[in-house]
Amino acid sequence: MIAELGLAALWLAAALAALQLYAGAMAQRDAGGGLAALVRPAAIVQGLSCAFAFAMLLWLFAITDLSVKLVATNSHSAKPLLYKLTGAWGNHEGSMLLWVAVMALSGALIALVERRLSERTMLATLAAQAFVGLGFYAFLIFSSNPFERLAQPAAEGMGLNPLLQDIGLALHPPTLYFGYVGLSVAFSFAVGALLTRQVTPEFARVMRPWVLGAWVFLTLGITAGSYWAYYELGWGGWWFWDPVENASLMPWLAATALLHSASVLAARDALRAWTIMLGVVAFSMSMLGTFLVRSGILTSVHAFAVDPQRGTFILVLLALYIGGALALFALRAGAIAEGERFSATSREGALVFNNVMLSAILGIVLLGTLYPLLTEAFDVRVSVGPPYFNPAGAFFAVPMLLVMAVGPLLRWRRDSLARIQRPIVLAGVVVLAAALAALAIGGMSVLALLGLALSAGLAVASLLPLRGRKLHRIPLAVWGMVVAHFGLAVALFGMASETAFSQERLAAVTVGETVQVGPWQVTLSEVLPNAGPNWTAIEGHLSASYSGGDPVELDPQSRSFWAPVQQTNESALATRWNGQLYAVVGSEAQAEGQESRWQLRLWWKPFVTFIWYGGALVALGGALALVGRVRADLKRRIVRKRADERRAEGAM
């Protein structure tokens, strides 16, 4: 009955999306007609219905209802409750239902609170949101039904991929989906503005919080996903340029460009067409990522589906949404003037330059992601990895970082570099000093050296907008920018340090033997069996000492799961302020007449944690800016309302 309730709610939500689309489209002909009054209520009830459907799916996983196909193939009665619940979205159908539920709730929130845009543009936006949602409802109901029953209930479930049975899974996919869905909202706003030809600063101010929110969640999702892969997969790396990793990076790059472009439109009424185009591109990248992960053309721990028919369905949706939006843009681009002009040496000019650099990096990642897939269609296997992505990306990232250091110091509309000569010289001296220090250390690649030097310069430059100002009077949005830019510098420092200074040691050791890696001495104390709710393990007990200091205990495991059958490595980490010791224990080897030896893999990774500290700071900066923008908008509304009330009283 629970499954049937969930499916009925899903059908109801789909029907309401159809009503919302029809009423919104008809309202464009007659904004005062009766149908217009249905759009907002339909969006609200649709959101509640879809959320109810997802709640039913969570319930099915919580009680392990093995008569439901999705539960039987992705859960097990022996799993801890946390992983039963997270398993609801650790698969293709459940993750798509989560996606569409978040999107429907977003539409409901817009319908409930957003009153700044003209009613005609708002109705067009909600109609566009319903159009996007309707495609996903059709995909779920006809191709990926999460509530499908089995003819006979299974005796026991098949479990969830052991690599996904981790707290990281509880955070990583939902945060990414919030990001993707935020971009779908930006896409709907862009389509709505195109339909009504009302691309105004007010439109940008309405869209900007959604882009900011999406960007924050994408940042958190990518950061959490990177750290999850680092400690869970046992290979010691934090980024592999895997196509599925790139699938989340590409929307982030587009959203970053869109965020800055929307700020220019909101503040200076410029870049109208460019902002609309980025709104379309950002959502296109989200859809492309969905297609890559769910089409079956990729093999990855993140890739959920291996059914080409589902991939074809998503490809059709991608063509429909993006092709339609681009066609609409082509038809209406002439009616959208570019707005106010500005000098190349201005804050707008710096933002445009960085937008172009971000777009170029996006193109590089897109090409490197799709090229192996295209060649594989002709039976030619090509691997594209760091030797391509790192230098090609750095070619555009280096000038982008240099301009990013200067841009916030420039004035709007028109400025002169001579006015900010002193801070530029200060940042330049810091970059030069850091580069010389890195050269003195030696033994690192050019990219690592550049990364260390630029991170130092950017860290200093990011704080310069605070110079000479009363800190308590600085708007939250400015604090957000400063924190985000500083966070990027911190993350860049972590990436460069990890590349430049990491040390690895692979050894086969006996119990009691000591291995040196970097400043750490690691002794294998003992190896014991261990067991969890749905696994058994060989657990190594290590005693690690940093430069002869007090030892810390590490317990890496090699786990064996039985549902499904799979072996994983659980790394153990020792974290200090200046880096992490990373330990993995492997299999046993014993030659005849000799003592058993255990494979031990150790890494010393200086400042690697700065990568994720930096990511968290970038997200925090976005959150501060979001709060600041929302608070400013609320104040503006209150002031406007009071002014209207005073005018009304005067008229009386």
Side-chain angles (χ1 to χ4, degrees), residues 131 135 187 287 313-327:
F131 181 60
F187 172 82
M287 288 295 296
F313 203 126
I314 294 177
L315 193 60
V316 170
L317 290 181
L318 178 66
L320 194 62
Y321 295 152
I322 308 310
L326 290 177

Side-chain angles (χ1 to χ4, degrees), residues 84-297:
K84 285 182 181 179
L85 293 175
T86 58
W89 58 78
N91 56 78
H92 168 76
E93 291 85 352
S95 67
M96 291 306 296
L97 181 56
L98 173 61
W99 169 302
V100 79
V102 176
M103 187 163 62
L105 284 172
S106 301
L109 185 62
I110 293 171
L112 201 60
V113 304
E114 190 51 67
R115 306 285 171 183
R116 287 171 290 177
L117 286 180
S118 72
E119 190 64 10
R120 187 162 172 262
T121 301
M122 181 49 59
L123 295 179
T125 299
L126 289 173
Q129 183 79 355
F131 181 60
V132 175
L134 205 53
F136 281 101
Y137 286 127
F139 180 63
L140 274 170
I141 292 171
F142 299 118
S143 176
S144 304
N145 179 8
F147 300 105
E148 182 180 349
R149 293 276 191 189
L150 292 169
Q152 293 291 331
E156 188 47 89
M158 295 171 64
L160 177 70
N161 185 337
L163 290 173
L164 303 181
Q165 294 184 37
D166 184 86
I167 189 64
L169 181 67
L171 301 174
H172 174 49
T175 48
L176 280 183
Y177 292 160
F178 277 110
Y180 289 156
V181 170
L183 294 181
S184 82
V185 175
F187 172 82
S188 299
F189 274 118
V191 171
L194 270 178
L195 285 170
T196 57
R197 298 182 177 87
Q198 293 180 354
V199 184
T200 61
E202 193 63 38
F203 151 77
R205 282 192 279 272
V206 171
M207 183 175 72
R208 185 167 52 185
W210 291 96
V211 180
L212 252 175
W215 186 80
V216 169
F217 279 114
L218 277 175
T219 305
L220 287 173
I222 293 171
T223 303
S226 168
Y227 192 61
W228 168 77
Y230 169 76
Y231 73 77
E232 180 63 22
L233 299 184
W235 62 290
W238 56 275
W239 193 265
F240 191 64
W241 292 110
D242 179 276
V244 179
E245 292 174 337
N246 295 347
S248 62
L249 178 63
M250 288 186 289
W252 186 86
L253 290 168
T256 306
L258 173 60
L259 180 61
H260 291 88
S261 180
S263 294
V264 174
L265 177 55
R268 298 295 156 181
D269 194 14
L271 304 181
R272 293 175 182 170
W274 181 242
T275 302
I276 293 290
M277 175 57 80
L278 284 175
V280 175
V281 169
F283 182 58
S284 304
M285 293 300 105
S286 295
M287 288 295 296
L288 180 64
T290 306
F291 169 71
L292 289 174
V293 174
R294 290 170 174 79
S295 62
I297 61 175

Side-chain angles (χ1 to χ4, degrees), residues 252-253 256-257 260 353-363 400:
W252 186 86
L253 290 168
T256 306
H260 291 88
F353 180 84
N354 276 0
N355 262 0
V356 173
M357 294 297 104
L358 280 168
S359 301
I361 296 170
L362 172 59
M400 182 189 75

Side-chain angles (χ1 to χ4, degrees), residues 591-611:
E592 186 174 350
Q594 294 184 359
E595 193 175 352
S596 292
R597 289 183 175 273
W598 297 88
Q599 290 182 356
L600 200 58
R601 196 162 191 175
L602 304 169
W603 285 271
W604 165 235
K605 294 176 173 293
F607 303 109
V608 68
T609 48
F610 281 51
I611 297 172

